Amino acid sequence: MTRIAGISFLVMILLSLPGLGQAPENIGDIPDGNRTIPLHLLKLYDEFDHLIRPDEKPVMPFSPKQTCRKCHDYERIRRGWHFNAADSVPPGRPGEPWVLVDALAVTQIPLSYRPWGGTYRPGSVGLTTFGFLSIFGRHLPGGGVGEGEAMQDLGDYMRWQVSGTLVINCQSCHNGDPAQSQSEYGVQVLRQNFRWAGTASSGFATVQGSAVEMPDNFDLYSAVPPERSGFLPPTVMYNASRFDPSSRVLFTVPRRMPHIQCDFCHSSKVIDPSAGQRWQEEEDVHIAAGMTCADCHRNGLDHMMIRGYAREAGETGNPAAAEFTCEGCHCGVEGAQVPVEGRRGAPRPQHAGIPPVHFEKLTCTACHSGPWPAAKTFRVKTSRAHALGIPRADKSDDALPHIVTPVFARQEDGTYAPHDLLWPAFWARERAGELVPIPPERVRPVVKEVLQRDTSRIIGRWPVLTDQEVLEVLRRLTAVDSVSGKAVYVSGGKVLFDDGEGILRRREDRAAMPTLWPIAHDVRPKSKSLGARGCDDCHSTDSPFHFGTVAVASPFVATRDSVTHMTDYQDITRVSAWIFSMSFLFRPGLKWLIIVCFVLVAAVVLISAVRGLGHLIQILAAGEE
Amino acid sequence: MTLFRILAAVVVIGLTGAILYDLRRQRSGGRNFWEFISTQTGIALDLWRERRRLGPGSTLDNLRRMAYGLSVAFFLLLGLTGFLPVLILGDRLSGTLLIVHVTVAPLFALCLCALALLWAHRLRFDEEDWQFVLEPAHRKAPRLERRVRLALKVGFWLVLLFSLPLMGSIILSLFPLFGTEGETLLIRVHGYSALLFLAASIAEIHLTILYVQQISKKSSGEIPS
C-alpha cells in the first residue's frame, strides 16, 4: 500500500512538471501523420476567454479566435494572405480592389490597403478602419484591420467598444456544416455586430439586434435596455441541443473544403445578354472535374495562400508556388528535382500547331479563362464589389460599380492576360500636381443641391450629368474649401476641370486611368479556349482580342456609350495589329503556295540527284571496264 | 537561342571576312578602296550597256534574270528581318519585322521555285565538271573562270538543297501536327537551315559576281579567252 501510494505520488509530481502530462500548445498544428481529421468537439470561449455555457445570462457570442487558438497558432495564421492586407507585406500581383460606391456623389473609387497601382487607401477617402469594415466587412473573413488596434481611429473608439473587434472567423472557410451561413455573417457585419458575426454564421446560434443602432455608451453586459425603444441590442441565443453535457459543440471541419465555401466572396456574374439562363452556363473546368479551390490555392499553417500566377514563386520567395501554377500542374517545373506535373491528373497540353512565342507573350489565362470575348466587353458583377450573396443586394445588371471584362491587357512582365477593368469616378482636389479624393459624403449634399432631378430614388445607379452640372458642383466644392486646392472630377478616363472661363475642360491624367486586375476564372475547357477554332480566333481583323472595344463607364450623356480600343492596353498599335491580322487572310493560300514550291524544288533536286547518281555509276562502271 | 545566336554571328562574321579578304585580294596592286569601288561600278555599267546594246533577250532569258534578281532581293530582305533581331537584340522575330518576313517568304519561295526550274539545266554538272572532280590531271592549271563556274554550280545546288528543310520546317509548323516541343524543334530547324542557306547564298552571290567579272574581262581582252 505504501509502495502504491509512493508511486502514485511520484507520478503526480512528474505530471505536474511542465511539458509532461499536459496537452502541448498548438496541438492542432502538429500532425502525427494520421490522415483523419481530429474530432472538433470544442468548448466555446468568448472574446475574454471565458467559457460559454448556453444557459448563462447574458450569454456571450463565442469568439472564433479564443476558441480555435486553444489548438492552433492564431498569431501565425493572422499573417496569412486573407488577413494581411494592411500589413507591410509585398503586395504581389494586383488583385480585385474594394470599390467604394456612392451613386448620389457619382463616385466609384477603387480602394485597397495593399499598395496596388490605381487604388487608394481607404483613409484617403475618409474611411477609418471601422468605416471600412462597416461597408466591406461583409465579404471579409475577419482579422486584419478588424482587429488591428494600431490602425483604429480615436473617433471610433466608442463604436469599437459597442461592436467589438472583427476577429478572424475561421468558420468562413473551415466550417463544413451545411448550416454555416456566410450570408448571415455579412448581414451581421453590416449591422456592425462584429463580435457576434462569427457566432451568427455558425448555424447553431441566432443573433438578433443591431450594434449600429446602439448608443456609444451601450453596455454589453447590462440588463438595462437601450434608451431608444424599438431598437434591439445584439443578443445571441444558442441552440442548446448542439451542446453536449460538457458544453462542447461539434464542429464539422473537413480537410478539403468544397468550392462553395470560397464562392461566397469569390463569385462573379458576367452580364452577357446573349448568354442563356443560369442552367445553361458552365462552371470552371477544374470544379467540374471534381476539384476544389484549395486543390490549387493551397497554404500551410501560415495561411499564405498560393495565388497561382506565374511570377509568384519569385516574388514571394516560395519556390513551392511554382508547382501550383497552370504550368506547374500541367507541364511541370523546369529544373525540378522530382517531377511535379500531373497533379490531380492534370493533362499535359499538346498545343498542336501553336508557335512557341505564344507561351512567352500570353498567360495561360489569356486563352483559357474568363468569358469568351465578344466585340465589346461585358459588364461583370463580383461578390466583393456588388455584395453578391447578401440579402437585398442590388440584383440589377447595371448596379454600380460598373466593371467590365475581359480586357486583354499587357501586364508588368510583358505578358498578355485577361483583366477586369474599372473606370474610377470621384471628385478630388488638385494639390501640387496630385489628385486627392474628396470623401463622397462631403460631395453628396453639393451634388444633390445642384441636380434638379429627384436623386433620392437612385438605387445603385448614378445620375446622368451634364457639363454644366459638373461645372456647378466643381465651383461649389472649390468655394467651400479653396485652400485645399481646386476641385476636379475624374471620370471616364479623363480629369474634368473648370478652366476659369466657364468651360469644362478635359485632360488626360494618370489618376483617371482605369484600374485593371487580372482574372483567372472561370477556366474554359480545351475545346472552348481561344485558338480552338484556328488562328482566326485572335488573328483576324475583327477579333475581340485585338479589336474589341472596352466600354467606358461614365455618368455623362455625351460619353455614355464611348469606348476605348483593346489595343490601348497592349503594346501594339491598332494599325500594326490590323496589318498582321490581314496577313492571316491570305495565309491558307500562301501556305499551299509554299507547299507547291517546296514540292517543285524538291522534285528538281531529287531528279538532278538521281541523274547525277546515274552518271556517277556510269563513270565508275567505265572506270572498271 | 544563345547557341544559335553565337553560331549565326560566327557564320556572318566569317562570311563577311572571307568576302572582304577576296575583295582585298582582287584589288591588290596598289589601288585604294575607292578606286576599287569605282572600277567595280564601271564594270557593272559596262555590262549593263553591253546588255542594252545586244537588245532585249528572249523571254526565257529575261525570266531567268528576273527570277535571279528577285530571289536575291527577297533573300536579302528575309535574311535581314530574320537574323537582325536574333543577332542584334537576342530576341525572337516579332512585330513589323515578322510581318515583313511572313509576307516576303511566300514570294521568295515562288522565286526560288522559278530559279530551280529555270536554272537547273544551265547549272547542271556536265562532263567537264565530272572530270575536274574525278580526275586529278584535269585540276592542273585550271582557269579561274573554270573553277568559279564549278563553284557556282555547287553553290546553286547547295542553295536548293538547304531550301528544302528551310521551307519544309515552316510548312510543318503551320499545321496542327506537332505540340510545343515539336514546334520548338521545327523553329530551330528553320533557324539552322536558314543559317546554312545564308552561307550558301552569300557565297553563291559572290561567286556569281566573280564569274561575271571574269566573263567581262575575257570579252574586253584583259584576260585571254
Side-chain angles (χ1 to χ4, degrees), chain A residues 96-99 101 108 138-139 262-273 278 281 370-371 377-406 419-422 459-461 517 519 521-522:
Chain A
E96 181 182 348
W98 300 97
V99 185
V101 167
Q108 60 176 33
R138 49 170 165 78
H139 280 84
C262 312
D263 281 348
F264 184 81
C265 296
H266 295 280
S267 293
S268 63
K269 179 187 173 188
V270 176
I271 313 300
D272 178 4
R278 192 170 175 176
E281 292 172 6
T377 48
F378 303 109
R379 279 220 193 116
V380 63
K381 296 176 72 176
T382 71
S383 286
R384 281 166 281 165
H386 297 86
L388 301 184
I390 299 295
R392 290 187 291 278
D394 188 349
K395 292 186 180 179
S396 62
D397 289 346
D398 62 347
L400 289 171
H402 293 162
I403 301 173
V404 296
T405 194
H419 290 70
D420 281 352
L421 182 149
L422 172 83
I459 307 168
R461 293 161 202 74
W517 59 95
I519 59 171
H521 294 284
D522 291 333

Side-chain angles (χ1 to χ4, degrees), chain B residues 14 19 22 31 34 70 75 145 188 195:
Chain B
I19 289 169
D22 195 42
R31 286 183 299 173
W34 294 114
L70 281 175
F75 157 74
E145 181 206 330
R188 217 172 270 165
L195 203 54

